[in-house]
Amino acid sequence: QSALTQPASVSGSPGQSITISCTGTSSDVGGYNYVSWYQQHPGKAPKLMIYEVSNRPSGVSNRFSGSKSGNTASLTISGLQAEDEADYYCSSYTSSSFFGTGTKVTVL
Amino acid sequence: QVQLVQSGAEVKKPGASVKVSCKASGYTFTSYYMHWVRQAPGQGLEWMGIINPSGGSTSYAQKFQGRVTMTRDTSTSTVYMELSSLRSEDTAVYYCARERPIAVALDYWGQGTLVTVSS
Protein backbone atom coordinates (compact mmCIF):
# COMPACT_ATOMS: atom_id res chain seq x y z
CA GLN A 1 0.00 0.00 0.00
CA SER A 2 1.50 3.35 -1.02
CA ALA A 3 0.32 6.22 1.14
CA LEU A 4 -0.18 9.76 0.02
CA THR A 5 3.03 11.60 0.89
CA GLN A 6 3.03 14.66 3.11
CA PRO A 7 5.91 16.54 4.79
CA ALA A 8 6.37 15.38 8.37
CA SER A 9 6.32 18.91 9.73
CA VAL A 10 5.68 22.49 8.72
CA SER A 11 6.05 25.53 10.92
CA GLY A 12 5.33 29.22 10.75
CA SER A 13 4.96 32.33 12.87
CA PRO A 14 1.61 33.83 13.82
CA GLY A 15 0.12 35.74 10.92
CA GLN A 16 2.18 33.98 8.29
CA SER A 17 0.89 31.61 5.62
CA ILE A 18 1.98 28.00 5.32
CA THR A 19 1.28 25.33 2.72
CA ILE A 20 1.11 21.57 3.24
CA SER A 21 1.57 19.35 0.20
CA CYS A 22 0.05 15.95 -0.48
CA THR A 23 1.62 13.98 -3.31
CA GLY A 24 -0.10 11.03 -4.89
CA THR A 25 -0.40 9.59 -8.36
CA SER A 26 -2.54 9.98 -11.46
CA SER A 27 -4.73 7.18 -10.05
CA ASP A 28 -5.75 9.14 -6.98
CA VAL A 29 -4.93 12.82 -6.41
CA GLY A 30 -4.24 13.57 -10.03
CA GLY A 31 -7.16 11.65 -11.47
CA TYR A 32 -10.08 12.76 -9.34
CA ASN A 33 -11.28 15.79 -7.43
CA TYR A 34 -12.00 13.77 -4.30
CA VAL A 35 -9.23 15.23 -2.16
CA SER A 36 -10.09 16.23 1.39
CA TRP A 37 -8.14 17.57 4.35
CA TYR A 38 -8.53 16.89 8.08
CA GLN A 39 -7.28 18.69 11.16
CA GLN A 40 -6.62 16.73 14.34
CA HIS A 41 -5.74 18.19 17.72
CA PRO A 42 -4.12 15.88 20.30
CA GLY A 43 -6.60 13.50 21.86
CA LYS A 44 -9.43 14.64 19.57
CA ALA A 45 -11.20 13.18 16.57
CA PRO A 46 -10.23 14.52 13.16
CA LYS A 47 -12.22 17.41 11.72
CA LEU A 48 -13.03 17.89 8.04
CA MET A 49 -11.50 21.15 6.79
CA ILE A 50 -11.62 20.84 2.98
CA TYR A 51 -13.47 18.51 0.61
CA GLU A 52 -13.43 18.07 -3.17
CA VAL A 53 -10.02 19.77 -3.35
CA SER A 54 -11.09 23.29 -2.43
CA ASN A 55 -14.51 23.36 -0.76
CA ARG A 56 -14.89 24.36 2.89
CA PRO A 57 -17.64 22.87 5.06
CA SER A 58 -19.86 25.32 6.86
CA GLY A 59 -18.12 26.73 9.93
CA VAL A 60 -14.54 26.27 8.73
CA SER A 61 -12.52 29.47 8.65
CA ASN A 62 -11.79 30.96 5.23
CA ARG A 63 -8.14 31.09 6.32
CA PHE A 64 -8.04 27.48 5.12
CA SER A 65 -7.92 26.88 1.39
CA GLY A 66 -7.18 23.92 -0.85
CA SER A 67 -5.86 23.47 -4.37
CA LYS A 68 -4.43 20.86 -6.69
CA SER A 69 -1.88 20.75 -9.47
CA GLY A 70 -1.19 17.49 -11.24
CA ASN A 71 -0.64 14.75 -8.69
CA THR A 72 -0.11 17.13 -5.78
CA ALA A 73 -2.79 18.69 -3.62
CA SER A 74 -2.10 21.51 -1.19
CA LEU A 75 -3.65 22.98 1.93
CA THR A 76 -2.82 26.59 2.69
CA ILE A 77 -3.40 28.19 6.08
CA SER A 78 -3.23 31.97 5.96
CA GLY A 79 -2.98 34.27 8.95
CA LEU A 80 -1.59 31.43 11.05
CA GLN A 81 -2.96 31.31 14.60
CA ALA A 82 -1.94 29.39 17.70
CA GLU A 83 -5.10 27.28 17.47
CA ASP A 84 -3.99 26.01 14.05
CA GLU A 85 -1.23 23.98 15.69
CA ALA A 86 -2.33 20.40 15.02
CA ASP A 87 -1.81 17.40 12.77
CA TYR A 88 -3.20 17.59 9.24
CA TYR A 89 -4.05 14.69 6.95
CA CYS A 90 -4.96 14.69 3.30
CA SER A 91 -7.20 12.01 1.87
CA SER A 92 -8.07 10.64 -1.51
CA TYR A 93 -10.68 7.88 -1.70
CA THR A 94 -9.11 6.19 -4.67
CA SER A 95 -5.72 5.98 -2.97
CA SER A 96 -5.00 2.50 -1.68
CA SER A 97 -4.24 4.00 1.72
CA PHE A 98 -7.05 6.59 1.78
CA PHE A 99 -5.08 8.95 4.05
CA GLY A 100 -1.81 10.77 3.73
CA THR A 101 1.12 10.30 6.06
CA GLY A 102 0.22 13.36 8.12
CA THR A 103 1.87 16.72 8.80
CA LYS A 104 2.47 18.31 12.17
CA VAL A 105 1.96 22.06 12.02
CA THR A 106 3.81 24.09 14.64
CA VAL A 107 3.10 27.74 15.33
CA LEU A 108 6.36 29.31 16.43
CA GLN B 1 -27.64 17.78 15.17
CA VAL B 2 -25.62 14.92 13.77
CA GLN B 3 -24.01 12.76 16.44
CA LEU B 4 -22.00 9.58 16.34
CA VAL B 5 -21.60 8.02 19.78
CA GLN B 6 -19.24 5.10 20.15
CA SER B 7 -19.01 2.42 22.80
CA GLY B 8 -16.48 2.58 25.60
CA ALA B 9 -12.88 1.53 25.91
CA GLU B 10 -11.99 -2.14 25.74
CA VAL B 11 -9.08 -4.24 26.99
CA LYS B 12 -8.58 -7.54 25.19
CA LYS B 13 -6.09 -10.37 25.24
CA PRO B 14 -4.17 -11.39 22.14
CA GLY B 15 -6.21 -13.71 19.96
CA ALA B 16 -9.54 -12.37 21.18
CA SER B 17 -12.10 -10.33 19.25
CA VAL B 18 -13.53 -6.90 19.89
CA LYS B 19 -16.78 -5.35 18.69
CA VAL B 20 -17.11 -1.57 18.69
CA SER B 21 -20.45 0.15 18.18
CA CYS B 22 -21.29 3.54 16.72
CA LYS B 23 -24.81 4.91 17.27
CA ALA B 24 -25.93 7.59 14.84
CA SER B 25 -28.53 10.27 15.41
CA GLY B 26 -29.69 13.53 13.90
CA TYR B 27 -29.93 12.35 10.29
CA THR B 28 -31.36 9.59 8.12
CA PHE B 29 -29.14 6.64 9.04
CA THR B 30 -29.57 4.72 5.80
CA SER B 31 -28.70 7.65 3.55
CA TYR B 32 -25.01 7.97 4.42
CA TYR B 33 -22.16 5.50 4.17
CA MET B 34 -20.09 4.94 7.30
CA HIS B 35 -16.33 4.43 7.46
CA TRP B 36 -14.09 2.99 10.17
CA VAL B 37 -10.66 4.50 10.77
CA ARG B 38 -8.10 3.64 13.40
CA GLN B 39 -5.09 5.40 14.88
CA ALA B 40 -2.36 3.60 16.79
CA PRO B 41 -0.61 5.57 19.56
CA GLY B 42 1.52 8.31 18.03
CA GLN B 43 0.71 7.16 14.50
CA GLY B 44 -1.35 8.41 11.58
CA LEU B 45 -4.87 7.64 10.44
CA GLU B 46 -5.49 4.21 8.93
CA TRP B 47 -8.61 3.46 6.89
CA MET B 48 -10.22 0.12 7.68
CA GLY B 49 -13.34 -0.04 5.56
CA ILE B 50 -16.81 1.19 4.71
CA ILE B 51 -20.38 0.01 5.14
CA ASN B 52 -23.54 1.07 3.36
CA PRO B 53 -26.16 1.17 6.14
CA SER B 54 -28.94 0.88 3.60
CA GLY B 55 -28.17 -2.54 2.17
CA GLY B 56 -25.34 -3.60 4.47
CA SER B 57 -22.75 -3.97 1.72
CA THR B 58 -19.16 -3.53 2.82
CA SER B 59 -15.67 -2.96 1.46
CA TYR B 60 -12.59 -3.56 3.57
CA ALA B 61 -8.98 -2.45 3.30
CA GLN B 62 -6.86 -5.31 2.05
CA LYS B 63 -4.85 -5.29 5.28
CA PHE B 64 -7.91 -6.24 7.33
CA GLN B 65 -9.57 -8.68 4.92
CA GLY B 66 -10.55 -11.82 6.79
CA ARG B 67 -10.23 -10.21 10.22
CA VAL B 68 -12.76 -7.37 10.16
CA THR B 69 -16.53 -7.48 9.90
CA MET B 70 -18.73 -4.38 9.65
CA THR B 71 -22.44 -4.69 10.24
CA ARG B 72 -25.39 -2.46 10.95
CA ASP B 73 -28.70 -2.47 12.77
CA THR B 74 -31.16 -0.12 11.10
CA SER B 75 -33.65 -0.45 13.97
CA THR B 76 -31.21 1.28 16.32
CA SER B 77 -29.21 3.31 13.75
CA THR B 78 -26.04 1.61 14.87
CA VAL B 79 -23.05 0.33 12.96
CA TYR B 80 -20.59 -2.18 14.35
CA MET B 81 -16.98 -3.04 13.66
CA GLU B 82 -15.66 -6.38 14.84
CA LEU B 83 -11.96 -7.18 14.65
CA SER B 84 -10.78 -10.70 15.38
CA SER B 85 -7.47 -12.43 16.13
CA LEU B 86 -6.29 -9.35 17.96
CA ARG B 87 -2.59 -8.70 18.40
CA SER B 88 -0.68 -6.00 20.23
CA GLU B 89 -0.36 -3.97 17.02
CA ASP B 90 -4.15 -3.56 17.00
CA THR B 91 -3.94 -1.33 20.07
CA ALA B 92 -5.43 1.90 18.76
CA VAL B 93 -8.26 4.38 18.89
CA TYR B 94 -11.02 3.29 16.53
CA TYR B 95 -13.28 5.90 14.94
CA CYS B 96 -16.49 5.69 12.95
CA ALA B 97 -17.01 8.53 10.50
CA ARG B 98 -19.91 9.48 8.24
CA GLU B 99 -19.28 10.05 4.57
CA ARG B 100 -20.46 13.28 3.01
CA PRO B 101 -22.37 12.26 -0.12
CA ILE B 102 -20.58 12.47 -3.48
CA ALA B 103 -17.55 14.23 -2.01
CA VAL B 104 -16.26 11.04 -0.34
CA ALA B 105 -15.17 13.13 2.62
CA LEU B 106 -15.76 12.24 6.26
CA ASP B 107 -17.83 15.06 7.70
CA TYR B 108 -18.79 13.73 11.13
CA TRP B 109 -16.72 11.56 13.42
CA GLY B 110 -17.39 9.57 16.56
CA GLN B 111 -15.46 10.35 19.69
CA GLY B 112 -13.24 7.31 19.28
CA THR B 113 -12.93 4.04 21.17
CA LEU B 114 -9.62 2.95 22.65
CA VAL B 115 -8.94 -0.74 22.21
CA THR B 116 -5.97 -2.05 24.14
CA VAL B 117 -4.60 -5.50 23.35
CA SER B 118 -2.40 -6.82 26.11
CA SER B 119 -1.69 -10.12 27.79
Side-chain angles (χ1 to χ4, degrees):
Chain A
Q1 251 185 3
S2 54
L4 303 174
T5 302
Q6 300 179 229
S9 63
V10 173
S11 62
S13 300
Q16 285 187 329
S17 293
I18 62 169
T19 297
I20 304 167
S21 61
C22 171
T23 302
T25 69
S26 58
S27 298
D28 41 62
V29 173
Y32 306 88
N33 287 329
Y34 292 141
V35 177
S36 50
W37 289 90
Y38 301 87
Q39 176 192 64
Q40 187 181 33
H41 287 109
K44 300 293 187 182
K47 175 186 176 183
L48 178 64
M49 305 300 284
I50 296 286
Y51 66 95
E52 290 178 327
V53 177
S54 59
N55 294 320
R56 277 187 310 274
S58 174
V60 172
S61 171
N62 59 10
R63 297 186 299 104
F64 291 84
S65 62
S67 63
K68 188 181 82 167
S69 177
N71 296 337
T72 298
S74 299
L75 173 71
T76 297
I77 309 174
S78 58
L80 199 62
Q81 299 180 359
E83 67 207 49
D84 301 331
E85 186 160 296
D87 294 325
Y88 291 83
Y89 296 90
C90 64
S91 171
S92 172
Y93 180 61
T94 56
S95 164
S96 58
S97 66
F98 199 97
F99 291 106
T101 51
T103 298
K104 180 176 181 58
V105 168
T106 302
V107 181
L108 301 171
Chain B
Q1 73 284 21
V2 174
Q3 279 194 304
L4 302 176
V5 179
Q6 298 183 220
S7 48
E10 302 260 15
V11 179
K12 296 292 183 180
K13 293 192 182 303
S17 297
V18 68
K19 191 171 187 176
V20 179
S21 68
C22 169
K23 183 173 176 59
S25 62
Y27 70 97
T28 302
F29 176 69
T30 52
S31 296
Y32 296 79
Y33 291 0
M34 196 77 80
H35 295 243
W36 286 91
V37 175
R38 77 177 187 179
Q39 187 171 38
Q43 302 301 308
L45 301 176
E46 183 173 33
W47 183 76
M48 299 182 70
I50 181 176
I51 181 168
N52 177 356
S54 178
S57 61
T58 56
S59 178
Y60 304 135
Q62 189 172 6
K63 174 177 179 176
F64 300 102
Q65 291 274 2
R67 270 209 314 145
V68 69
T69 304
M70 296 176 189
T71 56
R72 95 291 190 214
D73 182 343
T74 56
S75 68
T76 60
S77 299
T78 302
V79 295
Y80 300 90
M81 187 284 299
E82 183 170 22
L83 189 63
S84 62
S85 302
L86 290 170
R87 32 205 188 236
S88 59
E89 309 90 88
D90 294 317
T91 294
V93 176
Y94 290 76
Y95 294 101
C96 60
R98 192 188 81 162
E99 178 181 302
R100 185 185 180 105
I102 301 176
V104 198
L106 307 181
D107 60 356
Y108 287 92
W109 294 65
Q111 82 276 19
T113 296
L114 175 62
V115 174
T116 302
V117 182
S118 174
S119 55

Short mmCIF file of all heavy atoms in Angstrom, two decimals, chain B residues 24-56:
data_model
loop_
_atom_site.label_atom_id
_atom_site.label_comp_id
_atom_site.label_asym_id
_atom_site.label_seq_id
_atom_site.Cartn_x
_atom_site.Cartn_y
_atom_site.Cartn_z
N ALA B 24 -25.73 6.34 15.57
CA ALA B 24 -25.93 7.59 14.84
C ALA B 24 -27.27 8.23 15.19
O ALA B 24 -28.25 7.53 15.46
CB ALA B 24 -25.86 7.33 13.34
N SER B 25 -27.29 9.54 15.19
CA SER B 25 -28.53 10.27 15.41
C SER B 25 -28.47 11.62 14.72
O SER B 25 -27.38 12.10 14.37
CB SER B 25 -28.79 10.46 16.91
OG SER B 25 -27.76 11.23 17.49
N GLY B 26 -29.63 12.20 14.49
CA GLY B 26 -29.69 13.53 13.90
C GLY B 26 -29.75 13.56 12.38
O GLY B 26 -29.72 14.65 11.79
N TYR B 27 -29.83 12.40 11.75
CA TYR B 27 -29.93 12.35 10.29
C TYR B 27 -30.52 11.00 9.90
O TYR B 27 -30.69 10.11 10.74
CB TYR B 27 -28.57 12.57 9.63
CG TYR B 27 -27.58 11.43 9.81
CD1 TYR B 27 -27.42 10.46 8.83
CD2 TYR B 27 -26.80 11.34 10.96
CE1 TYR B 27 -26.52 9.41 8.99
CE2 TYR B 27 -25.89 10.29 11.13
CZ TYR B 27 -25.76 9.34 10.14
OH TYR B 27 -24.87 8.30 10.30
N THR B 28 -30.80 10.85 8.61
CA THR B 28 -31.36 9.59 8.12
C THR B 28 -30.24 8.56 7.99
O THR B 28 -29.38 8.65 7.09
CB THR B 28 -32.06 9.79 6.76
OG1 THR B 28 -33.08 10.78 6.90
CG2 THR B 28 -32.67 8.48 6.27
N PHE B 29 -30.24 7.62 8.89
CA PHE B 29 -29.14 6.64 9.04
C PHE B 29 -28.80 5.93 7.73
O PHE B 29 -27.62 5.74 7.41
CB PHE B 29 -29.55 5.63 10.11
CG PHE B 29 -28.58 4.51 10.32
CD1 PHE B 29 -27.33 4.74 10.88
CD2 PHE B 29 -28.92 3.20 9.98
CE1 PHE B 29 -26.44 3.70 11.09
CE2 PHE B 29 -28.04 2.15 10.19
CZ PHE B 29 -26.80 2.40 10.74
N THR B 30 -29.81 5.54 6.99
CA THR B 30 -29.57 4.72 5.80
C THR B 30 -29.14 5.52 4.57
O THR B 30 -28.89 4.93 3.52
CB THR B 30 -30.84 3.91 5.46
OG1 THR B 30 -31.96 4.80 5.39
CG2 THR B 30 -31.10 2.83 6.50
N SER B 31 -29.04 6.81 4.71
CA SER B 31 -28.70 7.65 3.55
C SER B 31 -27.22 7.99 3.44
O SER B 31 -26.80 8.63 2.47
CB SER B 31 -29.51 8.96 3.60
OG SER B 31 -30.90 8.70 3.47
N TYR B 32 -26.42 7.59 4.41
CA TYR B 32 -25.01 7.97 4.42
C TYR B 32 -24.14 6.75 4.73
O TYR B 32 -24.36 6.04 5.72
CB TYR B 32 -24.74 9.03 5.50
CG TYR B 32 -25.42 10.35 5.28
CD1 TYR B 32 -26.77 10.50 5.58
CD2 TYR B 32 -24.74 11.44 4.76
CE1 TYR B 32 -27.42 11.71 5.38
CE2 TYR B 32 -25.38 12.65 4.56
CZ TYR B 32 -26.71 12.77 4.87
OH TYR B 32 -27.35 13.97 4.67
N TYR B 33 -23.12 6.55 3.89
CA TYR B 33 -22.16 5.50 4.17
C TYR B 33 -21.40 5.83 5.46
O TYR B 33 -21.25 7.00 5.84
CB TYR B 33 -21.14 5.38 3.04
CG TYR B 33 -21.68 4.85 1.74
CD1 TYR B 33 -23.01 4.49 1.58
CD2 TYR B 33 -20.84 4.70 0.64
CE1 TYR B 33 -23.49 4.02 0.38
CE2 TYR B 33 -21.32 4.22 -0.58
CZ TYR B 33 -22.64 3.88 -0.70
OH TYR B 33 -23.10 3.39 -1.89
N MET B 34 -20.89 4.77 6.10
CA MET B 34 -20.09 4.94 7.30
C MET B 34 -18.73 4.26 7.12
O MET B 34 -18.66 3.14 6.61
CB MET B 34 -20.80 4.33 8.52
CG MET B 34 -20.22 4.82 9.84
SD MET B 34 -20.76 6.48 10.26
CE MET B 34 -22.40 6.14 10.91
N HIS B 35 -17.69 4.96 7.54
CA HIS B 35 -16.33 4.43 7.46
C HIS B 35 -15.83 4.12 8.87
O HIS B 35 -16.29 4.70 9.85
CB HIS B 35 -15.38 5.45 6.85
CG HIS B 35 -15.67 5.79 5.42
ND1 HIS B 35 -14.79 5.53 4.39
CD2 HIS B 35 -16.75 6.39 4.84
CE1 HIS B 35 -15.31 5.96 3.25
NE2 HIS B 35 -16.49 6.48 3.50
N TRP B 36 -14.83 3.23 8.93
CA TRP B 36 -14.09 2.99 10.17
C TRP B 36 -12.62 3.30 9.92
O TRP B 36 -12.05 2.88 8.91
CB TRP B 36 -14.27 1.55 10.64
CG TRP B 36 -15.63 1.29 11.23
CD1 TRP B 36 -16.73 0.85 10.58
CD2 TRP B 36 -16.02 1.49 12.59
NE1 TRP B 36 -17.79 0.76 11.45
CE2 TRP B 36 -17.38 1.13 12.69
CE3 TRP B 36 -15.36 1.91 13.75
CZ2 TRP B 36 -18.09 1.19 13.89
CZ3 TRP B 36 -16.06 1.96 14.95
CH2 TRP B 36 -17.42 1.61 15.02
N VAL B 37 -12.05 4.04 10.85
CA VAL B 37 -10.66 4.50 10.77
C VAL B 37 -10.02 4.24 12.12
O VAL B 37 -10.66 4.42 13.15
CB VAL B 37 -10.61 6.01 10.44
CG1 VAL B 37 -9.18 6.54 10.47
CG2 VAL B 37 -11.29 6.31 9.11
N ARG B 38 -8.76 3.83 12.11
CA ARG B 38 -8.10 3.64 13.40
C ARG B 38 -6.80 4.43 13.45
O ARG B 38 -6.25 4.83 12.42
CB ARG B 38 -7.84 2.17 13.68
CG ARG B 38 -6.67 1.56 12.94
CD ARG B 38 -6.47 0.10 13.37
NE ARG B 38 -5.25 -0.46 12.81
CZ ARG B 38 -4.84 -1.71 13.05
NH1 ARG B 38 -5.56 -2.51 13.82
NH2 ARG B 38 -3.71 -2.15 12.51
N GLN B 39 -6.32 4.63 14.67
CA GLN B 39 -5.09 5.40 14.88
C GLN B 39 -4.33 4.80 16.05
O GLN B 39 -4.77 4.90 17.21
CB GLN B 39 -5.41 6.87 15.15
CG GLN B 39 -4.20 7.77 15.22
CD GLN B 39 -4.59 9.24 15.27
OE1 GLN B 39 -5.57 9.62 15.89
NE2 GLN B 39 -3.82 10.07 14.58
N ALA B 40 -3.22 4.16 15.74
CA ALA B 40 -2.36 3.60 16.79
C ALA B 40 -1.67 4.74 17.54
O ALA B 40 -1.54 5.85 17.00
CB ALA B 40 -1.33 2.67 16.17
N PRO B 41 -1.24 4.51 18.76
CA PRO B 41 -0.61 5.57 19.56
C PRO B 41 0.54 6.24 18.81
O PRO B 41 1.47 5.57 18.35
CB PRO B 41 -0.11 4.81 20.79
CG PRO B 41 -1.02 3.64 20.91
CD PRO B 41 -1.33 3.24 19.49
N GLY B 42 0.46 7.54 18.67
CA GLY B 42 1.52 8.31 18.03
C GLY B 42 1.63 8.13 16.52
O GLY B 42 2.59 8.62 15.91
N GLN B 43 0.66 7.45 15.93
CA GLN B 43 0.71 7.16 14.50
C GLN B 43 -0.37 7.92 13.73
O GLN B 43 -1.17 8.64 14.32
CB GLN B 43 0.55 5.66 14.26
CG GLN B 43 1.60 4.82 14.96
CD GLN B 43 3.01 5.17 14.53
OE1 GLN B 43 3.32 5.21 13.33
NE2 GLN B 43 3.89 5.45 15.49
N GLY B 44 -0.39 7.74 12.42
CA GLY B 44 -1.35 8.41 11.58
C GLY B 44 -2.68 7.68 11.48
O GLY B 44 -2.91 6.66 12.14
N LEU B 45 -3.54 8.22 10.65
CA LEU B 45 -4.87 7.64 10.44
C LEU B 45 -4.76 6.46 9.47
O LEU B 45 -4.06 6.54 8.46
CB LEU B 45 -5.82 8.68 9.88
CG LEU B 45 -6.02 9.93 10.74
CD1 LEU B 45 -6.92 10.93 10.00
CD2 LEU B 45 -6.63 9.57 12.09
N GLU B 46 -5.50 5.41 9.77
CA GLU B 46 -5.49 4.21 8.93
C GLU B 46 -6.92 3.82 8.61
O GLU B 46 -7.72 3.53 9.50
CB GLU B 46 -4.76 3.07 9.63
CG GLU B 46 -4.64 1.80 8.81
CD GLU B 46 -3.78 0.75 9.47
OE1 GLU B 46 -3.78 0.68 10.72
OE2 GLU B 46 -3.12 -0.01 8.74
N TRP B 47 -7.25 3.80 7.33
CA TRP B 47 -8.61 3.46 6.89
C TRP B 47 -8.81 1.95 6.95
O TRP B 47 -7.96 1.17 6.49
CB TRP B 47 -8.82 3.95 5.47
CG TRP B 47 -10.19 3.74 4.92
CD1 TRP B 47 -11.32 4.45 5.22
CD2 TRP B 47 -10.60 2.76 3.97
NE1 TRP B 47 -12.40 3.98 4.51
CE2 TRP B 47 -11.99 2.93 3.74
CE3 TRP B 47 -9.93 1.73 3.28
CZ2 TRP B 47 -12.71 2.13 2.84
CZ3 TRP B 47 -10.64 0.93 2.40
CH2 TRP B 47 -12.02 1.14 2.19
N MET B 48 -9.96 1.55 7.52
CA MET B 48 -10.22 0.12 7.68
C MET B 48 -11.28 -0.39 6.70
O MET B 48 -11.19 -1.52 6.22
CB MET B 48 -10.69 -0.17 9.10
CG MET B 48 -9.67 0.17 10.17
SD MET B 48 -10.25 -0.26 11.81
CE MET B 48 -10.22 -2.06 11.72
N GLY B 49 -12.29 0.43 6.44
CA GLY B 49 -13.34 -0.04 5.56
C GLY B 49 -14.57 0.83 5.62
O GLY B 49 -14.61 1.85 6.31
N ILE B 50 -15.59 0.41 4.87
CA ILE B 50 -16.81 1.19 4.71
C ILE B 50 -18.01 0.26 4.68
O ILE B 50 -17.91 -0.87 4.20
CB ILE B 50 -16.73 2.03 3.41
CG1 ILE B 50 -17.97 2.89 3.19
CG2 ILE B 50 -16.48 1.12 2.20
CD1 ILE B 50 -17.87 3.81 1.97
N ILE B 51 -19.13 0.76 5.20
CA ILE B 51 -20.38 0.01 5.14
C ILE B 51 -21.48 0.92 4.64
O ILE B 51 -21.52 2.11 4.99
CB ILE B 51 -20.74 -0.60 6.51
CG1 ILE B 51 -22.05 -1.40 6.41
CG2 ILE B 51 -20.84 0.47 7.60
CD1 ILE B 51 -22.34 -2.27 7.62
N ASN B 52 -22.34 0.37 3.82
CA ASN B 52 -23.54 1.07 3.36
C ASN B 52 -24.67 0.67 4.30
O ASN B 52 -25.15 -0.47 4.22
CB ASN B 52 -23.85 0.68 1.92
CG ASN B 52 -25.13 1.34 1.42
OD1 ASN B 52 -25.83 2.02 2.16
ND2 ASN B 52 -25.43 1.13 0.15
N PRO B 53 -25.11 1.55 5.17
CA PRO B 53 -26.16 1.17 6.14
C PRO B 53 -27.49 0.78 5.49
O PRO B 53 -28.30 0.11 6.12
CB PRO B 53 -26.31 2.43 6.99
CG PRO B 53 -25.01 3.14 6.87
CD PRO B 53 -24.59 2.90 5.43
N SER B 54 -27.68 1.19 4.26
CA SER B 54 -28.94 0.88 3.60
C SER B 54 -29.06 -0.61 3.29
O SER B 54 -29.99 -1.28 3.72
CB SER B 54 -29.08 1.70 2.32
OG SER B 54 -30.29 1.38 1.66
N GLY B 55 -28.12 -1.13 2.54
CA GLY B 55 -28.17 -2.54 2.17
C GLY B 55 -27.23 -3.43 2.96
O GLY B 55 -27.33 -4.66 2.89
N GLY B 56 -26.30 -2.82 3.68
CA GLY B 56 -25.34 -3.60 4.47
C GLY B 56 -24.09 -3.99 3.72
O GLY B 56 -23.22 -4.69 4.28
#
